[in-house]
Amino acid sequence: MTNHLPQDNGEISLWGETAIELPAARSLEEKLEAEVLVVGAGYTGLSTALHLAEQGISVVLLESSRVGFGGSGRSAGLVNAGVWKTPDYVIEKLGEEAGQKFNQALYDTPSQVFDLIERYKIDCQARRCGTINIAHKASALDYLRDRCPQMQKLGASVRLIDGDEASALSGSPVYRHGGILDPNAGTIQPLSYVRGLAKAVSGLGVQIFEE
């Protein structure tokens, strides 16, 4: 039977077709006590529940639909560092202390994701193959030239690549201007990853209730 995503009844989804199975949904029907209540079974909620449970904290997690219902189960599956704005822009908007903390947390995320996948043996087609923030036109390279050293300053092992390497790696002559290569980034099957996180937190004693 086709493993459809829950948000589109009857729609055939690549992620739904290829994702690992998820146990049948269980709704909350009893009174419970826990130290922490987490709302939402996407990446953020499940990661929060997992890290709390690893510290021995009791957690109950509530999801209004099903695990991975929102953006977590429908993302492109790219595991990239940072945000599209430059680190300096983030600091300008958030202030020095908060901006630095925000930037550092985000530039460590690929390592955190792949570490969780390895530790909990999550079957999600993970590939740490690197990704390219590629210039689609010559003028776009100015932004990337500015962004790359800022990322390197944070400790990200990125490097600027020229047009020849960008064309070779992308397999397309259209991308002939260059880009930023991040060898620590990669790809996952996003719905399998979020379901794998759910299985991991359940194994740590977290109670998940859906619907």
Side-chain angles (χ1 to χ4, degrees), residues 9 16 31 46 52 54 63 75 108 113 116 122 134 136 149 155-157 175 186 198 208-209:
N9 187 31
K31 291 184 178 180
L46 287 164
L52 288 168
E54 286 181 331
E63 164 59 48
S75 77
D108 287 341
V113 169
L116 286 177
I122 297 175
I134 207 162
H136 65 292
S157 57
Y175 299 110
I208 300 176
F209 299 96

Side-chain angles (χ1 to χ4, degrees), residues 113-133:
V113 169
F114 288 112
D115 176 64
L116 286 177
I117 290 169
E118 183 176 351
R119 278 197 289 137
Y120 289 98
K121 309 301 179 188
I122 297 175
D123 180 13
C124 62
Q125 302 174 35
R127 296 183 65 218
R128 201 164 192 175
C129 52
T131 60
I132 308 171
N133 186 180

Side-chain angles (χ1 to χ4, degrees), residues 5-123:
L5 285 179
Q7 67 270 14
D8 297 301
N9 187 31
E11 181 184 54
I12 297 176
S13 158
L14 172 63
W15 300 145
E17 287 280 349
T18 60
I20 61 174
E21 291 296 324
L22 185 69
R26 180 187 171 207
S27 298
L28 179 61
E29 297 178 349
E30 66 266 33
K31 291 184 178 180
L32 294 173
E33 289 189 6
E35 293 174 87
V36 177
L37 171 67
V38 175
V39 178
Y43 296 148
T44 303
L46 287 164
S47 179
T48 300
L50 185 146
H51 288 92
L52 288 168
E54 286 181 331
Q55 300 174 56
I57 297 171
S58 62
V59 181
V60 167
L61 191 152
L62 301 182
E63 164 59 48
S64 63
S65 182
R66 296 223 64 194
V67 168
F69 170 80
S72 298
R74 294 183 255 179
S75 77
L78 297 175
V79 185
N80 288 324
V83 292
W84 291 119
K85 298 296 185 180
T86 65
D88 285 355
Y89 177 89
V90 171
I91 290 173
E92 178 187 335
K93 293 299 180 181
L94 299 184
E96 182 69 28
E97 183 177 353
Q100 289 285 13
K101 186 175 181 180
F102 181 85
N103 282 329
Q104 197 61 60
L106 287 182
Y107 283 97
D108 287 341
T109 50
S111 294
Q112 292 176 18
V113 169
F114 288 112
D115 176 64
L116 286 177
I117 290 169
E118 183 176 351
R119 278 197 289 137
Y120 289 98
K121 309 301 179 188
I122 297 175
D123 180 13

